[in-house]
Every structure is written in structure tokens, then in C-alpha cells.
Amino acid sequence: MVNKPWRILPRPLLETVLNNHAQHHRVHQPLIFHGPRGVGKTTLILERLLGEWNKGPHLTGYVDFAECIKDHHPQHGESFPWASWSNCPKPALSDCRTKLEECLESMAYQGVKLGSISSQQIFSTLNKWHGLSTALRRIIGKAALSDKVSKSVLWDRAVFAQSARYNANEIDGVLSLGEKAKSLSIEEASYYKEAVVALRLAKEVIKVQHGWRANAIAHLNRTGGFSRSLANSCTDWPCLLLELLSEAAEIDHFQPKLVINNIEVLRNAILKDEESSVSGPMYHDGLIWRIIALGANEKSLPVIFVTSDSYYSYRAYLDFGFIDIFISRENFGWTVQEAQLHMVDDYFSNSEWRIIAEVLGPNPRHLFELYALKQSNYHGKIMIDKSMTFEDIVDAYLAYLQLNVVNPAMDKALELLQKFAADARSGKITEDRLRFGAPWRHPPQKDDATMRFEWAKIQLMDFLQSLVKAGFGFNYLADWSLEIFEDPAAVALIEVGLLYASRDPSFIRPVSRGIERCLVRWLVQERIQMSYKNMVQYRWQRFIRGRSYRHLLLQLGYK
């Protein structure tokens, strides 16, 4: 049995594309790096690119919002979930905000240390978007100041007042100057310290102004409304830091960039204090809107969003304006031939590879987990019995995927469909989505949980059966089939991470062949357990969906 350490293999073309974007000091558009789960996006960023993006004048901030989900992240000794992050416990929005702000603040301090960000620059940027007089007077605490005092004078006095709160060692620690501080002249040391104090003063000003809106934000959260100004108020501090860093970017001296991994976690974060911020989805949208605006109007530092949520492959581009609002880079992992070239002989034999390619496909995470299982004691116990083969290891791995990944995700999808039925009954679903001919047009009209559950299961089974007949894939753009996104069953399976809607080519399909097999197993098992009454309803749904999707699924038969 081969016992070879797992290697992180280069992907020259993809790495070149990402490097070309990151090497610019300022760009017009953020980049979304997306693709199905398990194809190695996070590994590529952390193991191959991030080190190079922190050499010389380059400085890269890395924020992984999934670290806030402590039960499912390697940072806390766990492993990434196979299905979507939306199936995991949702983190607090405050934790995600803190993680983003701390990263940007540390980058800004590096800019101060290099002399690229000064107190005057902070004042100019802050004054461009915020009225400062009242907030500065409150911070200074001197009501006797004349109303004719200019903002710049108020700023200087506020910086001086703030300086008294910090000792020299604290500021040296923030800048990590150490012994270097002793070699600086008095003027240089004063310049650095003034910039640090100014940065903290700017945060205090934004905090004061945000406090004035606390009641309005609380009312917005209670009523479920929308306000662009209040959403912007909650993102003022990170966006001010992004603008400062973008203005300070200079080729071959200071080239900051920002990588945000698992951006979809922010979209699903829970708000625990209704006065502190707008909701997670509104905060997510407000932050991305302002990053887009900064790039379009003045250019911003390179921002890369990394995600496995297929919402960002197509739908996000429309929600945020138009199809080219972001730069799109999609990663599907290896083809079967590429995976065979990398895996055979070093990790698997030819006979083993034929089984893997047929059952699981070339998904890198499948290959890594199967190799780890092969190297474990479980493999040794199986090999003692000569009647057991490598196929038994694959079967054990498939059983793991079925029980720990697909079945829980399908339970979550059923919950989403039941919620759709409840929303339709209460009038929250628009009539356009319940138009004539839609298979999901008639959810239960009674407030009966059992009926909703049975309806949801029939819808899910019916959709999977149609997907099987279509060869587990269909093109939602080439055939003008965007109505698929109105189907609650399709939306639920995409949201729980079992299906992925790619951008180019625009196919909806299971994230891997292994997941595909588990979906079929779930369908077969549910059909075996179906009662006669539900079987009649199921066949009627098959007839309706066949007529509704005839041009989309049953007749096209895409593969």
C-alpha cells in the first residue's frame, strides 16, 4: 500500500488569471472566484497564492467568515462541511463584522507604518462622506468652542485630545516598531503616532454618528423595511478603511489586496442586537454595493470573493446590476484525465482508479478523503479478509456521504419546501410564481404540518426524477429555461449545496458524481417507502411536471 504525503498540485492557467488580477494596485471591479464544493478553491488560495501575495510591497488581508462557525472549521480542529454552509449553525453578524474590521484595521496600520496613510489623508477621506463638526465637538467635550472654528482645526484638536489617552508603548506596539522606534527622529515618530491616533479618532467619529441612528436601525429591523442610508451607516467603518487603503496603494511600495472567503456566510448571519446593525443579508448587500461603487468611481484595491454558493455564479450578477458587474473566475476542479494523470501510481492503482472514476468522479475532496480512508486502520482490517476489496472502501465512503451529507441536506431541503408551502398559503408568494402549469402551483391549503411534509416530499422526489431523466444536468441559459429558478425544489437543492448552478457553461447539476449517486439512492429509498395514496399523488405530479418541463428536462435530456 502506497503511503505518500498528499501534494497540493499547481493549476498554472487558473493561478495566472488570479495573479494577473491581484498584481494590479487598483482595479475597477471585484472578482468572484467560485465553483462547486470540494474542487480546491480555498486550498489554492491558502497553499499556492496567499504566500506570494504577501511578499515585497504586497499585503493581502484574508478573511474567512466561516471561521465564525466554530463547529465546522479546521481553524477550530474540525473539518469543512460537505454540503452548504447554510446547513450549519448560523454565526452572529457581530462576529463576522469584527473579523472583517480587524483585518482591515491591521492592513491600515501597515499602511501607516510605511508612511502611505497620514492623519491629513484620513481627515480628507472622512470629511468627504461624513459631517464631522458635531461629532468632533462631542469627542473633544468642549462646548465653549466657537461655531466659526473650521473642521480642520476641530480635527487637530480632537487628535491632540485623543493622543493623551494612549501611551507611547501602546502605539509602538500597534505599529510593531520595536527597536526601530529608537532610530526614528522626533518628527518621524510624531508623524506615525499622529496617523495611528487619527485612525482611532475616525473610528470613534463613525461610532458616534452610528449611535445617533440606533433607534432608526432598531425600527427598521422590527418592521422589516429597507434603507440604503442605514445600511451604509453599518458599513461605514470597513468601507472607509477600504477607501484609505485604495488611495494609499502604490506600485512597488504598498499594494494591498483583500480576499474574503465564504462570503455567503455573511449573507446568512444572524443579527442578535437589533440596534447595532441592519440584518445579515442587508449588511452583505450594502458592503458589496459600496465595494462595487468604489471600484467603478475611483478604483479600489483588488477584492476577491471566494465562494461555493452558486448564487454568486449567475444570480448575484443580476441582483447587483448587470451581467458584468463582477469579474467571474470559475473553478470546476480536474477533468477525469487530469485527475488520472495526478493520482494514478502515486496514490491509486489503475484498477482502483477505474472504480473511483466510475463511482465518485474526479472531485479533489472525494479523492483526498478516500485516500485518507485507504491509509487508515479501516483499510488494514478489510485487507485481512481476502474476500474484501477496494470496492468495499468505496462503498463505506459512499455510505458516509449518504448518512452524513446527503440525507441531512435533503431533510433541510424538505424544510425549505414546507416553508414555501406555508408562505404560499399566507400569500407571501407572488401569483406569477404560482402561475398555471407550474407543478408546485397547488400546495396544501390547510394549516396541516403532515400535509405540507407529504407535499414537499412529493415535489422533491418529482424534481429528482425529472433530473435523472435529463441526465443529471440541463442548461438554464442556452435554452431560455430560467423558470427553473422559480421551482422551489430546484432552489432548495441548490441552497443546501447538493446542486450547483455554474456560470459557463450554464448548467445545473450535482456537485459531484458521488453526490449524484447518493441523490439517486435517496430517491429510490423514498419511493420504496411511499404509501399507495402518496404514490397516486406522485404520479400526478410527474404528469404535471412532465408537461411543464417538457422542453426543459424530459425532451432535451441534457448530459
Side-chain angles (χ1 to χ4, degrees):
M1 181 176 65
V2 178
N3 188 7
K4 189 169 185 177
W6 193 260
R7 291 182 294 124
I8 306 301
L9 298 165
R11 296 179 179 176
L13 180 59
L14 184 59
E15 291 179 24
T16 300
V17 169
L18 293 174
N19 278 323
N20 285 342
H21 180 78
Q23 292 305 316
H24 292 84
H25 67 302
R26 286 194 291 267
V27 295
H28 280 298
Q29 296 163 279
L31 183 149
I32 296 183
F33 180 37
H34 57 101
R37 297 190 71 80
V39 297
K41 300 181 296 299
T42 298
T43 301
L44 177 66
I45 293 291
L46 293 180
E47 303 294 338
R48 297 283 306 170
L49 301 177
L50 205 59
E52 294 296 322
W53 292 351
N54 276 297
K55 288 183 178 179
H58 299 280
L59 173 68
T60 304
Y62 177 77
V63 179
D64 186 356
F65 286 130
E67 288 182 13
C68 300
I69 307 177
K70 297 182 179 180
D71 294 337
H72 297 276
H73 199 278
Q75 192 74 20
H76 306 285
E78 304 294 335
S79 60
F80 292 120
W82 240 113
S84 171
W85 285 106
S86 63
N87 299 335
C88 301
K90 296 181 179 180
L93 177 60
S94 58
D95 294 340
C96 296
R97 289 182 61 185
T98 300
K99 187 169 289 292
L100 174 64
E101 291 171 3
E102 286 179 349
C103 174
L104 291 172
E105 285 173 17
S106 66
M107 293 172 67
Y109 287 135
Q110 288 295 321
V112 170
K113 186 178 177 180
L114 290 171
S116 299
I117 297 177
S118 65
S119 172
Q120 187 59 40
Q121 182 183 347
I122 296 169
F123 168 72
S124 299
T125 305
L126 188 63
N127 188 45
K128 184 164 53 175
W129 303 110
H130 300 269
L132 300 181
S133 297
T134 305
L136 288 175
R137 289 176 185 276
R138 175 168 294 190
I139 291 171
I140 295 172
K142 293 181 179 181
L145 288 173
S146 171
D147 293 338
K148 297 181 180 179
V149 174
S150 65
K151 291 181 184 178
S152 59
V153 172
L154 284 174
W155 176 261
D156 291 337
R157 293 189 181 184
V159 169
F160 181 77
Q162 288 285 97
S163 299
R165 301 181 185 179
Y166 309 113
N167 58 51
N169 292 332
E170 183 180 357
I171 296 179
D172 290 346
V174 169
L175 294 174
S176 304
L177 293 176
E179 292 296 323
K180 181 183 176 181
K182 299 178 181 179
S183 62
L184 296 176
S185 65
I186 295 176
E187 292 80 6
E188 287 176 312
S190 176
Y191 177 86
Y192 288 132
K193 293 176 181 179
E194 182 183 356
V196 171
V197 173
L199 202 58
R200 295 189 173 186
L201 175 60
K203 185 176 183 179
E204 186 69 21
V205 167
I206 289 177
K207 183 178 178 181
V208 168
Q209 293 182 344
H210 181 71
W212 295 338
R213 301 182 178 96
N215 291 334
I217 291 172
H219 175 73
L220 185 73
N221 289 324
R222 286 193 297 269
T223 58
F226 173 79
S227 168
R228 176 72 66 193
S229 61
L230 294 181
N232 287 348
S233 172
C234 298
T235 57
D236 276 341
W237 179 234
C239 289
L240 175 68
L241 293 172
L242 280 170
E243 187 166 353
L244 282 171
L245 289 166
S246 301
E247 291 174 351
E250 184 180 349
I251 295 177
D252 292 334
H253 177 64
F254 180 57
Q255 292 184 235
K257 50 198 111 281
L258 178 65
V259 177
I260 300 180
N261 197 2
N262 297 306
I263 182 66
E264 70 273 18
V265 174
L266 181 63
R267 187 163 157 250
N268 297 317
I270 297 175
L271 179 63
K272 294 186 176 180
D273 181 4
E274 64 179 16
E275 294 184 357
S276 64
S277 175
V278 293
S279 64
M282 197 182 299
Y283 183 91
H284 164 275
D285 292 352
L287 177 67
I288 295 181
W289 266 120
R290 297 187 71 178
I291 292 174
I292 293 171
L294 178 60
N297 295 328
E298 303 180 23
K299 288 191 176 183
S300 73
L301 55 83
V303 179
I304 299 176
F305 300 112
V306 184
T307 178
S308 298
D309 190 332
S310 60
Y311 165 80
Y312 299 88
S313 67
Y314 174 73
R315 303 287 291 184
Y317 293 76
L318 302 182
D319 288 350
F320 286 98
F322 57 95
I323 199 66
D324 294 318
I325 195 73
F326 304 105
I327 300 173
S328 173
R329 290 295 175 264
E330 196 163 23
N331 179 25
F332 296 109
W334 294 318
T335 63
V336 174
Q337 293 77 13
E338 289 172 336
Q340 181 177 4
L341 180 66
H342 295 313
M343 296 290 108
V344 172
D345 292 336
D346 285 344
Y347 301 100
F348 304 103
S349 66
N350 272 303
S351 61
E352 292 172 343
W353 175 252
R354 284 193 292 271
I355 297 171
I356 294 171
E358 175 65 25
V359 176
L360 297 174
N363 184 284
R365 182 167 177 182
H366 281 325
L367 299 179
F368 171 76
E369 291 177 345
L370 190 64
Y371 182 68
L373 186 60
K374 179 183 175 183
Q375 299 300 115
S376 68
N377 294 331
Y378 179 77
H379 177 270
K381 293 177 182 178
I382 286 182
M383 289 296 107
I384 293 175
D385 185 350
K386 298 301 181 181
S387 64
M388 306 296 278
T389 64
F390 180 74
E391 294 178 357
D392 296 294
I393 296 179
V394 177
D395 281 340
Y397 180 62
L398 271 178
Y400 160 79
L401 288 177
Q402 188 76 53
L403 295 175
N404 294 280
V405 178
V406 174
N407 287 355
M410 295 301 283
D411 291 340
K412 177 69 173 178
L414 286 171
E415 291 177 10
L416 294 174
L417 280 167
Q418 292 174 74
K419 182 179 182 300
F420 176 88
D423 290 345
R425 180 178 176 275
S426 61
K428 294 181 181 178
I429 305 298
T430 61
E431 288 294 328
D432 290 341
R433 198 169 177 189
L434 299 172
R435 66 182 183 275
F436 177 77
W440 57 91
R441 185 186 180 205
H442 297 293
Q445 294 302 307
K446 295 182 180 180
D447 188 13
D448 188 322
T450 302
M451 291 181 66
R452 282 200 301 269
F453 177 77
E454 291 176 352
W455 178 86
K457 182 167 287 189
I458 289 172
Q459 290 294 321
L460 204 54
M461 292 172 63
D462 185 29
F463 178 82
L464 280 179
Q465 184 65 51
S466 298
L467 188 64
V468 170
K469 289 195 174 184
F472 290 101
F474 50 90
N475 196 320
Y476 60 89
L477 276 184
D479 298 289
W480 303 95
S481 302
L482 288 173
E483 67 268 22
I484 194 69
F485 291 110
E486 297 178 2
D487 189 335
V491 172
L493 288 174
I494 290 172
E495 186 171 334
V496 299
L498 297 179
L499 298 185
Y500 185 81
S502 60
R503 177 183 169 93
D504 187 20
S506 52
F507 274 77
I508 293 179
R509 50 193 165 192
V511 294
S512 73
R513 190 171 298 174
I515 298 297
E516 177 185 302
R517 284 183 175 272
C518 292
L519 286 171
V520 174
R521 286 185 175 188
W522 182 90
L523 177 62
V524 172
Q525 182 180 4
E526 293 301 326
R527 289 188 64 178
I528 291 173
Q529 296 175 353
M530 183 175 287
S531 66
Y532 174 77
K533 174 187 173 183
N534 288 340
M535 179 62 74
V536 172
Q537 294 177 353
Y538 170 68
R539 287 178 176 174
W540 175 244
Q541 284 290 329
R542 292 288 308 119
F543 173 74
I544 296 175
R545 194 179 294 269
R547 291 176 62 83
S548 176
Y549 283 169
R550 182 170 56 222
H551 69 292
L552 174 62
L553 296 176
L554 302 180
Q555 294 298 317
L556 293 178
Y558 277 108
K559 296 183 179 180

